[in-house]
Amino acid sequence: MNDANKGRRAPGPESVIRADIRALRAYPVQHAEGMVKLDAMENPFALPRWLREQIGDAVRDAELNRYPDPHAPELKARLREVMAIPENCDILLGNGSDEIIAMVIHAAAAPGAVILSPVPTFVMYGMSSAIAKARFVGVPIAADFSLDEHAMAAAMEEHRPAVVFVSYPNNPTGNLFAEDALARLIERAPGLVVIDEAYQTFARRSFMPRLREFPNLMVMRTVSKLGLAGLRLGYAAARPEWIREIDKVRGPYNVGVLTQRVAGKVLEHHAVLEEQAVTLVAERKRLEHELAALSGVHPYPSEANFILARVRDAQAVFEGLKDRGVLIRTLHGSHPLLEQCVRFTVGTPEENSLLMRAMRDTLQGL
Ligand SMILES: *Cc1c(COP(=O)(O)O)cnc(C)c1O
């Protein structure tokens, strides 16, 4: 250290990192070791042994010394076929759909640009907007969690959003908004509308075929909730003119060679995941039914692999389950419509039975 620097305080993040970033809270990930993990909408089933062997073969010869092909033609062709992506659309790949959300917002975030969503919804739309310095406008849904079409239309008129994000089904409420209302919304939107179909496998409803109709529509999905959360792969389909521009924001090698190979291999055997989803939907129905029978528990109808329920004391239910080895999410305090609400991810039949036993024990102790 030379004399001029003596007594100088080393620069810290307070003088470098934006104040609004320092004020942000990082996306919460709960410690889950040894717990029945029903907090993050993961598929609880492992892949069958024969498929894991094939994945081993597929990655064994991967050229790890080379950068991945940024265009991932084989994976995109597989996705197009398996997911019935219309021929008039191109595909954008992301390191999870979280990255696609960030790319879309970054590409659109001119000074003063607005990103709009019905709320409560997936937190990353607001979080990515904040990071990109776009203004996020949340339009409350109705008390029954349906889309307030009137309020959405009025907000679009007032704020002229560059991008509207709609989670379909909606996380964390679990319901699908009315398709005709959404179609009208896409028609009158002044910008891009992104329909986020992270839970499409469980809902069996999709705007994918309607990409033919709407030039300002993007349909985004992920393989995470389907059973491959560890891979980090999201994809979005839209008209080539949209994909071409948003693609410029993408880090050049954002999807690694292992993700490309493994996803391609699993998608060859897509039926395995579809069958697991069928089991999870049956289990969701069972859980809905059993939760509804508990006094003081009001589960909401869900089209996803999780159930939102209102209870008398969300924090006590969360803690009681945690003490009994079951990890869920409490949403109390995140939005007025979610007062005393908790969210259960649907697990294996055994895990769901454990959850129900822990719920009964917990409620008895309150
Ligand atoms: C989980 C989730 C995502 C993020 O998925 P990744 O592909 O794992 O990043 C996106 N949208 C919604 C609505 C989600 O619930």
Side-chain angles (χ1 to χ4, degrees):
M1 194 186 287
N2 63 31
D3 281 352
N5 272 348
K6 256 201 195 129
R8 170 182 183 264
R9 260 186 57 206
E14 325 72 62
S15 60
V16 174
I17 307 298
R18 277 161 39 193
D20 58 326
I21 298 290
R22 282 185 282 130
L24 275 182
R25 279 208 289 154
Y27 185 86
V29 176
Q30 310 189 86
H31 186 73
E33 212 175 274
M35 305 279 282
V36 176
K37 197 169 181 311
L38 303 180
D39 67 323
M41 281 81 93
E42 292 145 321
N43 174 340
F45 298 112
L47 292 172
R49 170 123 214 129
W50 61 265
L51 185 46
R52 282 184 280 148
E53 300 284 351
Q54 288 198 23
I55 289 170
D57 292 339
V59 301
R60 186 167 300 123
D61 303 324
E63 287 195 306
L64 295 178
N65 55 319
R66 300 289 177 199
Y67 282 111
D69 184 336
H71 305 296
E74 286 167 34
L75 176 55
K76 282 184 185 171
R78 182 72 64 187
L79 281 169
R80 187 181 290 282
E81 175 205 321
V82 173
M83 305 300 172
I85 295 172
E87 56 296 327
N88 68 339
C89 288
D90 278 354
I91 302 171
L92 179 70
L93 300 182
N95 191 296
S97 48
D98 285 339
E99 193 193 26
I100 296 179
I101 295 167
M103 285 192 274
V104 170
I105 293 174
H106 275 98
V114 166
I115 310 296
L116 185 142
S117 283
V119 291
T121 190
F122 187 49
V123 294
M124 290 310 293
Y125 311 144
M127 183 116 166
S128 279
S129 299
I131 292 168
K133 292 198 167 193
R135 191 158 66 86
F136 182 76
V137 173
V139 181
I141 54 180
D144 65 356
F145 299 158
S146 64
L147 194 73
D148 186 339
E149 191 182 353
H150 204 75
M152 284 294 289
M156 287 200 310
E157 197 52 47
E158 182 186 346
H159 300 289
R160 311 300 293 167
V163 186
V164 175
F165 282 93
V166 179
S167 173
Y168 181 78
N170 189 39
N171 175 10
T173 54
N175 58 309
L176 282 165
F177 298 131
E179 181 174 344
D180 51 347
L182 282 182
R184 285 191 290 272
L185 194 141
I186 296 165
E187 243 162 19
R188 62 198 304 171
L192 180 67
V193 178
V194 180
I195 303 286
D196 180 348
E197 300 190 345
Y199 301 96
Q200 185 271 335
T201 330
F202 310 101
R204 310 270 160 196
R205 297 284 289 273
S206 178
F207 271 83
M208 195 69 90
R210 304 196 70 173
L211 280 165
R212 292 191 179 84
E213 240 172 287
F214 300 114
N216 61 328
L217 172 64
M218 170 177 277
V219 174
M220 183 174 71
R221 292 191 192 160
T222 171
V223 299
S224 294
K225 313 299 157 60
L226 186 59
L228 302 170
L231 268 192
R232 308 307 296 133
L233 179 70
Y235 57 99
R239 300 287 172 93
E241 57 268 30
W242 289 104
I243 300 293
R244 202 178 307 128
E245 298 306 328
I246 296 164
D247 196 53
K248 296 174 186 170
V249 177
R250 185 175 59 82
Y253 305 111
N254 64 328
V255 178
V257 62
L258 297 182
T259 295
Q260 291 187 26
R261 289 218 172 184
V262 176
K265 178 52 70 182
V266 178
L267 288 172
E268 262 179 56
H269 304 284
H270 192 241
V272 171
L273 299 178
E274 295 289 338
E275 277 166 35
Q276 293 178 344
V278 169
T279 306
L280 290 171
V281 167
E283 280 295 304
R284 176 187 78 210
K285 290 177 181 159
R286 172 174 83 109
L287 265 187
E288 255 170 27
H289 194 73
E290 294 188 9
L291 286 167
L294 299 177
S295 144
V297 180
H298 178 76
Y300 291 92
S302 168
E303 304 287 339
N305 66 338
F306 59 85
I307 297 173
L308 184 81
R310 206 179 297 275
V311 295
R312 292 204 184 101
D313 184 342
Q315 190 59 29
V317 166
F318 172 79
E319 296 288 349
L321 292 178
K322 197 171 173 188
D323 289 346
R324 290 164 178 83
V326 180
L327 190 65
I328 61 159
R329 270 296 278 273
T330 168
L331 294 154
H332 181 71
S334 65
H335 190 275
L337 283 169
L338 301 175
E339 210 172 297
Q340 302 302 351
C341 281
V342 292
R343 189 185 62 197
F344 309 98
T345 302
V346 179
T348 64
E350 298 73 31
E351 288 174 332
N352 300 330
S353 297
L354 272 169
L355 166 67
M356 286 310 302
R357 209 171 314 141
M359 272 299 277
R360 289 189 195 99
D361 286 354
T362 297
L363 295 173
Q364 224 151 49
L366 291 185

